[in-house]
Amino acid sequence: MGNELKGNGGLPLLFGVMGDPISQTKSPAMHSAALEAAGLAGTYVPLHVKPERLGDAIKGITALGYRGVNVTVPHKVDVMKYVDVIDEAAKQIGAVNTIVNEDGVLTGYNTDGIGYIRSLKEEAVADLSGKHVLVIGCGGAARGIVYALLQEKPGSVVVANRTIGKAQELADEWSHLGDISACKMEELANLLQESHIDIVINTTSVGMYPRTGELPIPAELLAPHMVVSDLIYNPLKTELLLRAESIGCRIHNGLGMFVYQGAYAFEYWTGRPAPVEAMRAAVLSSLQA
Ligand code: ATR
């Protein structure tokens, strides 16, 4: 039993991902594998939505009977205008990447940050409480991660950003959630020499394909006791991770974040545990295709 979950009119479940561009997305491969592994009849399709049609596209979710959609670049902020309910964490983060359609009521969630943290805990650091964490970059991705990270009661979180004002604003905004501070990139060397940092997380796009040789911080600042994590998954080992690995650091890449943001979305849509390994295998094989 248990497979009675159906779409509108008893049809297979409908899911999709809205973005612009969208042709390169790995989400359909990942979620199709998840539906199959879970024994659910359903379809997950890429949906090319231009910014000026986003409102209409969101209305289409209920009109067409989609059970849920993911929302990706450049719509994660604007989409908040068009859903009925916004989950508290998504509200704080200021971005939605997952919408659930419950009998015509659309609720927006952010699974990027919690997905990343679940991946970091399962793959690299089981317990984040008391840990001292350096986050490089302060854009949309960083906001999700820092918010989810602060729920884990870390010892401290330092946000370093090229534009220091943005990092300082974030530290001020969430000072009630934990020990969070901002650091200028030029002061990173002092910070890393003078205070103990357990985990370094790169949230910038520096090192992403095709500019794979670039480093978000000088590799000399890393030390072997650190766990070094990079949100990038193309390439699977960025220059930062290669350099970290070569000095003996434990490394963690962005593949898990992508898989687990999808896992949480799957769980919100279906109420079933996500078949994470089938999802990971599907993403890996579509990356190699
Ligand atoms: P995302 O949603 O992927 O986080 P974003 O909101 O555009 O994307 O944020 C990108 C982050 O990477 C920002 O913190 C940006 O720094 P600024 O706030 O100074 O723009 C950082 N970033 C991007 N390219 C960078 C580069 N070449 N060097 C340093 N930081 C960079």
Side-chain angles (χ1 to χ4, degrees), residues 136-142 161-163 166 185 203-206 214 216:
I136 306 158
C138 190
N161 198 41
R162 180 175 62 179
T163 314
K166 270 169 70 182
M185 294 302 246
T203 74
T204 76
S205 53
V206 180
E214 296 180 9

Side-chain angles (χ1 to χ4, degrees), residues 229-288:
S229 172
D230 200 322
L231 264 55
I232 295 168
Y233 62 88
N234 185 14
L236 287 170
K237 275 188 198 169
T238 56
E239 186 68 18
L240 179 71
L241 295 188
L242 286 169
R243 301 285 284 268
E245 189 176 43
S246 76
I247 63 160
C249 298
R250 179 180 294 193
I251 62 170
H252 171 252
N253 68 22
L255 181 67
M257 173 174 178
F258 180 67
V259 171
Y260 283 103
Q261 63 75 31
Y264 275 116
F266 183 92
E267 290 168 1
Y268 288 155
W269 294 329
T270 67
R272 311 277 177 90
V276 173
E277 288 319 315
M279 296 168 80
R280 189 192 307 273
V283 180
L284 272 174
S285 74
S286 79
L287 282 172
Q288 282 148 12

Side-chain angles (χ1 to χ4, degrees), residues 25-283:
T25 177
K26 308 295 179 206
S27 289
M30 178 170 74
H31 281 286
S32 299
L35 289 164
E36 192 180 337
L40 290 168
T43 307
Y44 185 114
V45 290
L47 299 162
H48 185 205
V49 176
K50 291 281 188 191
E52 63 274 18
R53 305 308 301 271
L54 182 62
D56 290 338
I58 299 299
K59 282 187 195 145
I61 296 173
T62 39
L64 297 170
Y66 273 69
R67 170 65 183 156
V69 298
N70 287 125
V71 181
T72 188
V73 179
H75 304 316
K76 290 186 190 187
V77 177
D78 287 344
V79 76
M80 298 177 81
K81 293 202 283 270
Y82 304 115
V83 295
D84 302 305
V85 182
I86 301 173
D87 165 72
E88 178 59 25
K91 218 182 275 175
Q92 293 283 329
I93 293 161
V96 157
N97 77 322
T98 299
I99 296 174
V100 180
N101 175 10
E102 196 73 62
D103 297 327
V105 177
L106 301 184
T107 303
Y109 296 90
N110 188 310
T111 69
D112 288 328
I114 51 175
Y116 172 80
I117 294 297
R118 188 160 146 193
S119 159
L120 184 66
K121 287 170 74 175
E122 292 200 8
E123 295 162 19
V125 191
D127 184 3
L128 294 167
S129 64
K131 294 284 191 285
H132 299 283
V133 187
L134 169 65
V135 176
I136 306 158
C138 190
R143 282 186 71 90
I145 281 166
V146 170
Y147 186 83
L149 182 59
L150 288 168
Q151 314 301 311
E152 301 288 323
K153 307 271 172 280
S156 64
V157 178
V158 179
V159 182
N161 198 41
R162 180 175 62 179
T163 314
I164 183 64
K166 270 169 70 182
Q168 190 57 55
E169 274 172 33
L170 187 71
D172 292 344
E173 183 180 343
W174 286 342
S175 60
H176 62 293
L177 298 176
D179 179 341
I180 175 169
S181 58
C183 178
K184 291 182 181 159
M185 294 302 246
E186 311 84 71
E187 284 167 7
L188 268 185
N190 280 344
L191 174 91
L192 288 162
Q193 274 154 20
E194 284 165 19
S195 42
H196 181 89
I197 294 287
D198 300 296
I199 306 170
V200 176
I201 304 171
N202 174 45
T203 74
T204 76
S205 53
V206 180
M208 190 188 290
Y209 179 84
R211 300 170 67 177
T212 50
E214 296 180 9
L215 283 163
I217 60 170
E220 300 70 46
L221 301 184
L222 302 174
H225 70 270
M226 296 171 182
V227 172
V228 180
S229 172
D230 200 322
L231 264 55
I232 295 168
Y233 62 88
N234 185 14
L236 287 170
K237 275 188 198 169
T238 56
E239 186 68 18
L240 179 71
L241 295 188
L242 286 169
R243 301 285 284 268
E245 189 176 43
S246 76
I247 63 160
C249 298
R250 179 180 294 193
I251 62 170
H252 171 252
N253 68 22
L255 181 67
M257 173 174 178
F258 180 67
V259 171
Y260 283 103
Q261 63 75 31
Y264 275 116
F266 183 92
E267 290 168 1
Y268 288 155
W269 294 329
T270 67
R272 311 277 177 90
V276 173
E277 288 319 315
M279 296 168 80
R280 189 192 307 273
V283 180

